[in-house]
Amino acid sequence: MSPAIATLEQHLLAALEPAPTETRRLFHGRGRCWPGLEQITVDWLDGVLLVALFREPPEGQLAELKAMLRALAERPQWTGQAVLLQHRYLPDSPGQWLLGEPCLQREVIEDGLKYLLDLGVRQNNGLFLDMRYGRRWVREQAAGKRVLNLFAYTCGFSVAAIAGGAEQVVNLDMAKSALSRGRDNHRLNGHDASRVAYLGHELFKSWGKVRKYGPYDLIIIDPPTFQRGSFVLTQDYGKILRRLPELLSEGGTVLACVNDPGIGPQFLIDGMAEQAPGLVFVERLENPPEFPDADPEGGLKALVFRQG
């Protein structure tokens, strides 16, 4: 066994002794802390071990990885039901079930809240685990507030906000299928559907609809780095920031996020100072410890701003 795969095996043995009681990242090679494993992440999805490859492994490593995973599942401490290997570097990110019965959907728990994930059928499964602390922060801040969730995806922030007592959450995303999964997630948690709204529109063509539900006490901005034909982070983020003053209530708060390793937090701090100078930088949220990064500027950036 190569040193890199042996290192991964030791990480997984430690992480599964015992297995987490909730969904968690077990290994984050993309943080570039372990040479030879930069392309690998491993997640525990409440019984399913999801191993994702973000680029083609070096010659021979894939066979070693599969053999190690099969041996891992034969150990006495293994309590999982299946192992899924996802090739994220290939078109459509195909999934390969190495062990166990394929299950295209999986209900998982994070901080006591339920989320329905898709496994092996699309690039992203429906919950970005590095945003765990961000969802927790929103839940802690949400009581009695009107919340706007931009680029809502499957509404993870919305689920956290309603669980925290938000008065209303408005979710906007151009992907109607993602918002439909957001409805599923709220139903799973027994939430009052009348407190959640869904706008399946492109943001830059929908400011009127967004304003109609406002003003908002808390606005969450968690965009993709690039969305073909609709959003380029470095070009379009400022267009959102300059709209914030007209959308926020007095004393309102913004959680602005970037998850491009090449873009540091100063991008948001400078952008806010230029486009919405009335909003003051408060803090950068910590990232969960299971997401170490060789460059502190390289991981997820989740920054809090508040009207001065």
Side-chain angles (χ1 to χ4, degrees):
M1 185 184 297
S2 68
I5 296 300
T7 296
L8 177 60
E9 180 185 46
Q10 291 308 307
H11 275 273
L12 296 182
L13 287 172
L16 293 169
E17 184 64 56
T21 57
E22 294 190 343
T23 189
R24 282 291 183 276
R25 169 89 16 120
L26 301 186
F27 182 80
H28 186 61
R30 300 190 83 198
R32 298 156 294 174
C33 295
W34 295 280
L37 297 170
E38 296 87 349
Q39 73 277 15
I40 299 177
T41 65
V42 183
D43 294 330
W44 177 257
L45 304 178
D46 292 8
V48 173
L49 194 72
L50 171 60
V51 182
L53 299 174
F54 286 83
R55 68 171 185 263
E56 187 173 5
E59 184 177 356
Q61 191 183 72
L62 183 59
E64 276 195 328
L65 175 64
K66 290 180 178 180
M68 183 272 287
L69 292 171
R70 291 189 176 101
L72 181 74
E74 293 176 357
R75 288 176 175 264
Q77 64 264 50
W78 171 254
T79 58
Q81 289 91 51
V83 177
L84 172 61
L85 182 64
Q86 186 179 20
H87 299 268
R88 289 284 296 265
Y89 58 93
L90 294 176
D92 301 322
S93 300
Q96 177 185 4
W97 293 91
L98 297 183
L99 293 163
E101 290 295 319
C103 52
L104 299 185
Q105 293 186 340
R106 189 76 171 182
E107 183 181 309
V108 301
I109 296 176
E110 178 196 83
D111 279 350
L113 298 174
K114 299 174 183 178
Y115 300 91
L116 187 62
L117 307 188
D118 296 302
L119 302 185
V121 293
R122 48 176 55 92
Q123 179 174 313
N124 295 311
N125 60 37
L127 191 69
F128 294 111
L129 301 186
D130 57 348
M131 194 56 86
R132 178 163 64 93
Y133 282 4
R135 286 185 287 270
R136 182 181 296 175
W137 180 89
V138 166
R139 186 175 184 175
E140 293 167 349
Q141 302 292 320
K145 293 183 178 177
R146 298 178 64 82
V147 180
L148 173 62
N149 185 19
L150 298 178
F151 306 96
Y153 188 41
T154 57
C155 305
F157 281 119
S158 181
V159 169
I162 293 296
E167 178 184 321
Q168 184 175 42
V169 183
V170 176
N171 295 291
L172 184 142
D173 200 291
M174 64 186 298
K176 292 182 173 65
S177 60
L179 293 179
S180 178
R181 177 49 48 84
R183 288 186 175 89
D184 295 336
N185 288 334
H186 277 292
R187 278 195 294 266
L188 272 178
N189 290 281
H191 291 163
D192 181 353
S194 68
R195 291 161 61 193
V196 187
Y198 306 89
L199 301 178
H201 307 290
E202 183 182 335
L203 174 59
F204 297 116
K205 298 177 181 178
S206 309
W207 290 117
K209 295 182 177 67
V210 172
R211 278 196 304 270
K212 184 179 71 172
Y213 285 91
Y216 303 95
D217 307 301
L218 173 60
I219 297 177
I220 302 157
I221 313 167
D222 185 21
T225 299
F226 176 79
Q227 200 167 51
R228 186 179 298 277
S230 65
F231 189 82
V232 178
L233 189 143
T234 52
Q235 298 175 19
D236 296 325
Y237 215 125
K239 300 174 187 177
I240 302 173
L241 301 182
R242 73 176 63 135
R243 293 277 188 167
L244 294 176
E246 66 190 70
L247 297 173
L248 276 170
S249 61
E250 186 176 350
T253 303
V254 173
L255 179 64
C257 308
V258 168
N259 198 5
D260 184 326
I263 299 176
Q266 202 62 41
F267 169 81
L268 288 174
I269 294 171
D270 292 344
M272 194 71 80
E274 179 182 351
Q275 303 292 345
L279 281 154
V280 178
F281 173 60
V282 177
E283 63 174 328
R284 176 183 174 181
L285 302 184
E286 289 187 5
N287 290 330
E290 60 268 26
F291 287 86
D293 202 296
D295 177 7
E297 307 289 273
L300 171 67
K301 278 72 65 172
L303 276 59
V304 178
F305 297 85
R306 191 164 290 124
Q307 293 230 51

